[in-house]
Structure formats: structure tokens, C-alpha cells
Amino acid sequence: MPEPVNRITGIAAPLPRANVDTDAIIPKAHLLTIHRSGLGAGLFSEWRFDDDGRERPDFVLNQAPWREAKILLAGENFGCGSSREHAVWSLMDFGIRCVIAPSFASIFHENCQKNGLAAVTLDEAALAHLVAVVQATPSGSTPAATMTVDIETCRVTAPDGREFPFTMEAARRQALLEGLDEIGASLRHDAAMAAFEARDRAQRPWIHALPTA
């Protein structure tokens, strides 16, 4: 089950590229495992490392303070491409708890929901402001790159104090707040489903008496 997410406060890393696909997020060489732990090492690996495995100093997640990011500021259509759930796992294993973008690929968005990664949609003007503020952060200056994403109030607070409201589907928001995946959300109605089944058995006993195989 995902962990409940109420408020995320942390360093925000700017990666305002459009159409970042899942093969860039977690290249196929890292898909040989079904385990979620350890995938953070492969996050954006072809952008983070050269052919000899050395960090590329110009990539944002290799720079202070953004290598400690909890929030990723992304471009439109983030997470497009294949449906690999490893993309979400790798972001979370690295330490990312929220991605903010103007839009998300639909399957990636659903995978975020299943795993408790907050996917927040803001318009391009709001995102541009957030990116500009954190990009102006002096190297190593952690407080100036820190922002808060409040899931309960649906509001992003920028490092300069400016606030940006966002909307989120009620069921998605509640699932994040309570730490529920799709199965967990269904089990909240376990008593109602059991009561329906009991009524149905009483009203239509001949149906339930039929062989199941």
C-alpha cells in the first residue's frame, strides 16, 4: 500500500523538458527486475551518467541542491511512451514524491496513482515561475529551492512565497491522503459489498446454488 501523502515540502528540481518519455526516465537496461528498490540508480541514467558511468555535471540531478530533490518540475506530456511502471518506481526510489507538470501521459498518470506519487498539474505560466525561481538558486543554497505541495488544500507554495492553486480529481486526492491504491480504495466498501452479496443470496438463492465450474 502507498504511504499517505498530505504535504510534501522539499527541494524542487527543474527539468522543464516536454515529452520526456518513460525510456528516458528509466532506460530498458534497468527493467530486468520486478523489485522496486534500487531503481533510483537508473533514474534518467543516460542523462545522469556518461558511457563510463561518470556523472554528467551539467545534468540537474547531479547538481546541488537538486540531487536531494523531492519535487520535480517537468514539461508537458511527462511520462509519455511505454506503460512501464518502473518509471514511477525509479522516481520514488530516488526520493521524488511529487512531479509538477502542465500535463502527463495518461498511463503514467495512472501509475502515479497506483503507487502514491503525487502528479500535480499546473499551467505553463505557473510552472515557468516555479522553474525560474529554483533556477535562480545559488549553487548549494537549499532553502531557496524548497517549496511545498499541499495535497489537502491543493496548493503549491513557491520558494518566494507565491501560491498556486491546482485541481485534482477527488478520488485521486483522497487516495493520496489516505495512502490507498485501487484495491485499498475498493476495500473501503468491503462492508457494503458483503451486505449486497448477502441480500443477493437471500433474494436469488437459485443463482448462487449453480455450480461455478
Side-chain angles (χ1 to χ4, degrees), residues 8-14 61 66 68-73 95-100 145-149 156:
I8 303 161
T9 297
I11 296 168
L61 295 182
W66 300 306
E68 305 297 330
K70 286 187 178 181
I71 300 167
L72 187 67
L73 305 176
I96 302 294
R97 291 294 174 266
C98 176
V99 180
I100 303 175
T146 300
M147 67 178 58
T148 296
V149 179
V156 175

Side-chain angles (χ1 to χ4, degrees), residues 1-212:
M1 294 286 288
E3 295 182 2
V5 180
N6 182 286
R7 183 181 295 105
I8 303 161
T9 297
I11 296 168
L15 188 68
R17 305 186 188 186
N19 304 312
V20 172
D21 62 39
T22 52
D23 191 50
I25 297 171
I26 183 73
K28 58 182 179 295
H30 302 280
L31 303 185
L32 301 179
T33 178
I34 59 172
H35 300 291
R36 304 185 186 196
S37 60
L39 285 173
L43 177 68
F44 297 120
S45 61
E46 293 182 356
W47 293 353
R48 287 169 61 202
F49 307 106
D50 63 22
D51 293 340
D52 295 320
R54 294 176 302 223
E55 285 190 352
R56 301 182 190 271
D58 59 341
F59 186 64
V60 63
L61 295 182
N62 291 336
Q63 302 170 6
W66 300 306
R67 62 169 67 244
E68 305 297 330
K70 286 187 178 181
I71 300 167
L72 187 67
L73 305 176
E76 63 180 348
N77 197 31
F78 186 80
C80 58
S82 71
S83 61
R84 64 188 69 169
E85 197 167 358
H86 293 68
V88 173
W89 297 349
S90 65
L91 285 160
M92 298 189 72
D93 192 61
F94 183 84
I96 302 294
R97 291 294 174 266
C98 176
V99 180
I100 303 175
S103 61
F104 295 90
S106 58
I107 297 178
F108 176 85
H109 200 244
E110 291 301 319
N111 286 336
C112 289
Q113 170 75 17
K114 293 176 183 177
N115 292 278
L117 177 65
V120 170
T121 303
L122 284 180
D123 63 45
E124 292 186 3
L127 188 72
H129 177 83
L130 297 177
V131 169
V133 170
V134 299
Q135 283 182 335
T137 300
S139 178
S141 178
T142 298
T146 300
M147 67 178 58
T148 296
V149 179
D150 195 316
I151 303 301
E152 189 165 8
T153 63
C154 291
R155 191 168 297 274
V156 175
T157 303
D160 61 358
R162 187 170 172 183
E163 295 185 342
F164 297 93
F166 62 88
T167 58
M168 181 177 288
E169 183 183 337
R172 291 182 182 274
R173 175 176 166 276
Q174 201 61 35
L176 283 171
L177 290 172
E178 297 186 28
L180 299 174
D181 58 11
E182 292 172 327
I183 294 175
S186 298
L187 290 176
R188 294 172 62 197
H189 306 286
D190 188 51
M193 290 187 290
F196 171 82
E197 185 176 282
R199 289 195 304 271
D200 194 60
R201 286 181 180 277
Q203 294 169 3
R204 303 190 302 167
W206 63 91
I207 294 293
H208 296 277
L210 294 174
T212 57

